[in-house]
Amino acid sequence: MRRPTIVDIAKAAGVSKGAVSYALNGRPGVSKETRERILEIARELGWAPSGPARALSPGGRIGAIGLVIDRPAHSLGLEPFFMQLISGIETELAASGVDLLLQVTEDTGAEIAVYRRWAAERRVDGVVLVDLRVDDPRVEAVEELSLPAVMLGGPEGVGSLPCLYTDDAASVREVVHYLAALGHRNIVQVAGPEHFVHTRTRVEAFGEAAAQAGLDRARSVHADYTGEAGTRTTRRLLAATDRPTALVYDNDLMAVAGLGVAHEMGVDVPSQLSIVAWDDSVLCRLVRPSLTAIVRDVVSYGRQVALMLGEAIAGGRVEDRETARGELYPRASTGPRAV
């Protein structure tokens, strides 16, 4: 079917194209009654403004924001964190009629190329950036494009971009002291990639908390958030002579994979091994034993970052905001260290 135009609306309403344009764009020039009649006819015809047309109108809004996730496409759908984040963003955008344009890339260079293309083609009004890197080149690239943006992460290393950040260090300290109180001394943190700022923050906090608790055998190793990496890393750790009695994973996928390896190798959870997952999800609650986890309201993060981006697009000054920190939720996967 042909897309309805303002000409079709004008004919149906018996008014000029100019009157239709005034009514649809909320500009003066038509009476209240005429405006309401035009808007009702537009709804009946199924009319909607096109992105390019909106970009050329006063205000120049596209009616879309962008999100690029630098992860392998085959694993993205398995990560509950991003599904919850996108759900929160979409919930906030739904009320305003703004669309979310999602792109998946596999390296930082490709991600920056997407921002440049979107800016050149007027595809989005602004972007949400995730997974802040150490010395992140995306920050300068987006600043140079004058593209409104909000970083989910920080607050250091974000340049002039407003950010929504979380105190991850406090949650790490809570986990370490909880496991130490259960008698664990040989604790290993299975952290994410080293180039992420939140990984560096968590690793540093883990080391500091372990030192405070006198855990001289505690250490961190790195993986890439995938279930495959969680499996390989856990198998190597549990096969070692100095086998840890507690594992703290940087995401739920690796934690669930680690639990599977423990079952495979005959290591009982929690009597011989305690497991903690970062970011609670349905996966943590469905496995047996259910996983102790750091609980964060990721859907709320999505709503907040979309709201902040909307304020930035509108030209307002957007201050950095801190989310509520994650809370430790003990479940059946943690218990006292076996004597």
Side-chain angles (χ1 to χ4, degrees):
M1 295 179 60
R2 184 176 65 86
R3 178 190 179 99
T5 66
I6 62 172
V7 174
D8 299 319
I9 299 171
K11 288 181 179 180
V15 298
S16 67
K17 291 190 295 182
V20 172
S21 178
Y22 291 146
L24 296 178
N25 290 289
R27 296 162 59 193
V30 293
S31 68
K32 178 181 178 181
E33 293 77 13
T34 300
R35 184 187 310 279
E36 292 177 349
R37 183 162 56 89
I38 290 172
L39 292 176
E40 178 61 29
I41 291 172
R43 284 191 292 270
E44 292 175 354
L45 292 177
W47 177 88
S50 68
R54 283 188 287 193
L56 294 173
S57 66
R61 300 286 179 78
I62 301 295
I65 68 169
L67 172 64
V68 181
I69 300 177
D70 187 5
R71 289 282 201 282
H74 70 274
S75 65
L76 178 61
L78 300 175
E79 288 204 46
F81 174 87
F82 283 113
M83 297 304 101
Q84 293 178 55
L85 179 67
I86 292 169
S87 174
I89 293 173
E90 288 280 21
T91 299
E92 186 62 38
L93 296 182
S96 59
V98 176
D99 297 324
L100 175 65
L101 185 58
L102 176 65
Q103 181 88 35
V104 178
T105 61
E106 295 196 14
D107 62 71
T108 302
E111 182 175 347
I112 291 174
V114 170
Y115 297 137
R116 288 176 175 153
R117 176 167 57 83
W118 281 350
E121 297 176 359
R122 299 293 308 278
R123 298 289 300 276
V124 296
D125 295 312
V127 293
V128 172
L129 281 74
V130 297
D131 287 335
L132 179 63
R133 278 79 154 166
V134 177
D135 300 323
D136 199 327
R138 300 174 303 162
V139 173
E140 184 178 356
V142 171
E143 288 174 333
E144 290 176 351
L145 292 170
S146 298
L147 188 63
V150 176
M151 176 70 74
L152 186 62
E156 291 80 20
V158 299
S160 64
L161 304 183
C163 68
L164 179 68
Y165 66 95
T166 306
D167 183 4
D168 282 352
S171 299
V172 171
R173 289 192 292 269
E174 183 179 9
V175 170
V176 172
H177 291 304
Y178 167 71
L179 292 172
L182 290 174
H184 295 280
R185 294 294 177 266
N186 189 351
I187 305 172
V188 176
Q189 177 192 33
V190 183
E194 296 180 76
H195 59 273
F196 289 150
V197 169
H198 64 260
T199 298
R200 182 177 62 179
T201 298
R202 295 177 191 178
V203 168
E204 290 176 354
F206 180 85
E208 291 169 1
Q212 290 171 0
L215 309 180
D216 55 359
R217 296 161 69 191
R219 63 195 187 282
S220 299
V221 297
H222 292 275
D224 66 2
Y225 291 136
T226 64
E228 292 83 357
T231 296
R232 290 193 303 270
T233 303
T234 306
R235 190 174 287 129
R236 184 174 66 251
L237 290 169
L238 295 186
T241 304
D242 188 24
R243 189 175 74 192
T245 63
L247 295 173
V248 181
Y249 293 89
D250 247 10
N251 79 342
D252 48 354
L253 280 182
M254 293 195 297
V256 170
L259 177 62
V261 171
H263 290 328
E264 165 199 317
M265 298 181 68
V267 179
D268 184 69
V269 177
S271 67
Q272 295 176 298
L273 176 70
S274 286
I275 292 178
V276 178
W278 193 281
D279 278 336
D280 188 29
S281 71
V282 66
L283 296 178
C284 297
R285 298 187 293 272
L286 288 178
V287 294
R288 291 294 178 268
S290 56
L291 296 179
T292 293
I294 293 294
V295 178
R296 300 191 297 172
D297 189 353
V298 179
V299 173
S300 173
Y301 295 179
R303 298 194 66 165
Q304 290 181 68
V305 79
L307 182 63
M308 291 173 67
L309 182 56
E311 294 170 0
I313 291 169
R317 177 176 174 79
V318 184
E319 300 291 341
D320 295 346
R321 299 177 193 174
E322 182 177 1
T323 70
R325 69 178 182 85
E327 295 185 7
L328 179 65
Y329 197 105
R331 294 197 181 98
S333 69
T334 50
R337 180 179 67 89
V339 179

